[in-house]
């Protein structure tokens, strides 16, 4: 039986989406293959954040087009998912690559098996992504066995003036603390030793659900209670959203590594304001000082 061949481009958050797509397809009875020659579907999960990322996606689509043309039977199909189909208001790339059979938006992820089963072509279902997986969603871990990415949110409300992410990935939507902890527990029980927490901005966890009282601080406190020999790494934190409570949690945690990914972007107040970074030079220095102490 033929299968689906995956290519995952871009950031770790995209890789998690690829793992979810693969998990849903496996659960539906589809095969996953690591050899394109054995596949009947060539699925590319793309990044579109930078011009270089879009060029990388174009190059991979060209490879898929050649793969499709080499088929002895007319049964090979190409699916392009991720950020590229969501780039712009009306997918400007569908005419450039007419050989692509399926353009998949973020909201198409849970319907991937149904879409590929359909013999007709399709376009991204929505330019406003709202989908977010949870701990009950099938997922095939594609990283090394001892490390896994744990995606706690998607989308972004920061709206930095230079950034296309809110237009591509939609508004901020965070998972519930219970869902994240349940998935973390499952990953740890399967042998994961390092949980890498990812989102466009992990420090705004729970900000879209203020009534829940949940935050990155409360999430880390709950993760810290889990049994097992594991550690937690945080990626993509934003200096504007650090709090004294979060810094105290980082200090007291048994599992959070002394490692932070915090893009500072600039230190000039004038430039920070123009970039809409929601932070000042004084606040940046205050956050760094607090972390060092």
């Amino acid at each position: 039986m033929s299968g689906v061949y995956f290519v995952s481009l871009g950031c770790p958050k995209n890789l998690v989406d690829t793992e979810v797509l693969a998990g849903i397809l496996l659960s539906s009875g589809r095969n996953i293959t690591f050899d394109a020659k054995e596949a009947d579907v060539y699925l590319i999960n793309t990044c579109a954040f930078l011009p270089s990322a879009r060029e990388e996606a174009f190059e991979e689509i060209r490879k898929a087009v050649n793969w499709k043309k080499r088929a002895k039977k007319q049964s090979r199909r190409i699916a392009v998912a991720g950020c590229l189909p969501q780039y712009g208001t009306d997918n400007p790339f569908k005419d450039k690559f007419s050989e692509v059979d399926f353009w998949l938006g973020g909201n198409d992820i849970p319907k991937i098996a149904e879409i590929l089963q359909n013999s007709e072509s399709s376009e991204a279902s929505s330019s406003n992504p709202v989908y977010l997986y949870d701990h009950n969603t099938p997922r095939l871990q594609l990283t090394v066995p001892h490390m896994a990415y744990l995606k706690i949110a998607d989308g972004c409300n920061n709206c930095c003036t230079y950034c296309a992410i809110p237009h591509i990935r939609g508004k901020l939507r965070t998972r519930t603390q219970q869902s994240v902890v349940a998935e973390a527990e499952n990953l740890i029980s399967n042998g994961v030793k390092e949980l890498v927490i990812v989102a466009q901005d992990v420090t705004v966890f729970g900000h879209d659900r203020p009534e829940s009282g949940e935050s990155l601080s409360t999430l880390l406190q709950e993760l810290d209670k889990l049994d097992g020999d594991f550690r937690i790494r945080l990626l993509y934190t934003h200096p504007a959203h650090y709090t004294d409570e979060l810094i105290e949690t980082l200090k007291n945690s048994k599992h959070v590594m002394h490692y932070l990914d915090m893009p500072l972007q600039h230190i000039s107040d004038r430039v920070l304001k123009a970039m809409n970074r929601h932070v000042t030079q004084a606040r940046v220095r205050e956050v760094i000082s607090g972390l060092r102490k």
Side-chain angles (χ1 to χ4, degrees):
M1 181 180 179
S2 299
V4 180
Y5 175 75
F6 277 91
V7 175
S8 190
L9 306 176
C11 67
K13 300 181 293 293
N14 236 28
L15 178 59
V16 174
D17 289 346
T18 300
E19 293 177 330
V20 169
L21 286 164
I24 292 173
L25 287 173
L26 278 174
S27 297
S28 73
R30 295 295 295 256
N31 289 336
I32 304 298
T33 178
F34 294 95
D35 186 347
K37 295 177 182 179
E38 299 176 356
D40 61 344
V41 176
Y42 197 120
L43 195 157
I44 310 164
N45 195 17
T46 59
C47 176
F49 184 50
L50 298 172
S52 58
R54 295 191 288 277
E55 284 300 325
E56 184 181 29
F58 298 156
E59 181 60 28
E60 197 58 51
I61 294 173
R62 293 186 191 103
K63 291 180 183 178
V65 170
N66 289 333
W67 163 87
K68 185 178 183 180
K69 289 178 177 178
R70 289 196 299 268
K72 295 179 181 179
K73 298 180 180 179
Q74 301 300 315
S75 58
R76 287 183 171 181
R77 293 178 294 171
I78 303 170
V80 177
C83 295
L84 196 68
Q86 304 271 174
Y87 186 84
T89 55
D90 184 26
N91 188 357
F93 310 112
K94 59 185 177 184
D95 292 333
K96 182 181 177 72
F97 297 106
S98 59
E99 300 90 347
V100 172
D101 299 280
F102 304 104
W103 293 96
L104 308 172
N107 295 332
D108 293 318
I109 291 176
K111 301 178 288 185
I112 182 64
E114 177 186 342
I115 290 171
L116 295 188
Q117 187 67 30
N118 191 337
S119 59
E120 297 180 1
S121 300
S122 70
E123 294 184 20
S125 63
S126 174
S127 60
N128 181 32
V130 295
Y131 175 72
L132 185 62
Y133 87 104
D134 62 24
H135 60 291
N136 292 315
T137 307
R139 177 182 169 189
L140 175 65
Q141 186 182 336
L142 297 173
T143 54
V144 290
H146 65 271
M147 186 275 287
Y149 294 107
L150 186 55
K151 186 175 176 179
I152 64 174
D154 209 341
C156 187
N157 292 347
N158 289 332
C159 296
C160 300
T161 53
Y162 57 89
C163 182
I165 289 298
H167 304 290
I168 296 174
R169 305 298 296 196
K171 294 181 179 180
L172 172 69
R173 50 204 186 276
T174 63
R175 296 171 59 182
T176 65
Q177 191 164 280
Q178 180 184 12
S179 175
V180 175
V181 172
E183 185 180 17
E185 193 168 22
N186 182 56
L187 289 168
I188 293 167
S189 68
N190 287 334
V192 170
K193 300 295 185 183
E194 182 171 326
L195 294 170
V196 185
I197 309 294
V198 295
Q200 271 74 28
D201 174 4
V202 300
T203 44
V204 293
F205 179 80
H207 283 204
D208 59 321
R209 301 175 290 106
E211 71 286 350
S212 69
E214 296 177 358
S215 65
L216 180 60
S217 180
T218 62
L219 173 61
L220 293 176
Q221 290 170 24
E222 290 303 307
L223 291 173
D224 223 26
K225 296 175 184 177
L226 295 178
D227 295 327
D229 176 21
F230 69 96
R231 58 187 181 181
I232 298 169
R233 185 188 298 270
L234 297 177
L235 291 188
Y236 315 117
T237 68
H238 193 305
H241 303 132
Y242 274 84
T243 63
D244 292 341
E245 180 189 16
L246 175 57
I247 293 175
E248 190 70 16
T249 298
L250 297 175
K251 170 190 169 185
N252 295 326
S253 172
K254 298 178 295 182
H255 296 288
V256 176
M257 299 172 63
H258 289 182
Y259 167 96
L260 292 170
D261 180 283
M262 182 168 57
L264 299 180
Q265 307 287 15
H266 219 285
I267 200 63
S268 162
D269 282 335
R270 179 183 61 81
V271 177
L272 288 169
K273 183 178 181 180
M275 296 172 82
N276 197 36
R277 286 294 285 170
H278 309 286
V279 71
T280 62
Q281 174 184 158
R283 180 55 183 158
V284 168
R285 294 186 185 279
E286 183 181 3
V287 169
I288 294 174
S289 176
L291 288 167
R292 283 174 172 165
K293 290 178 182 177

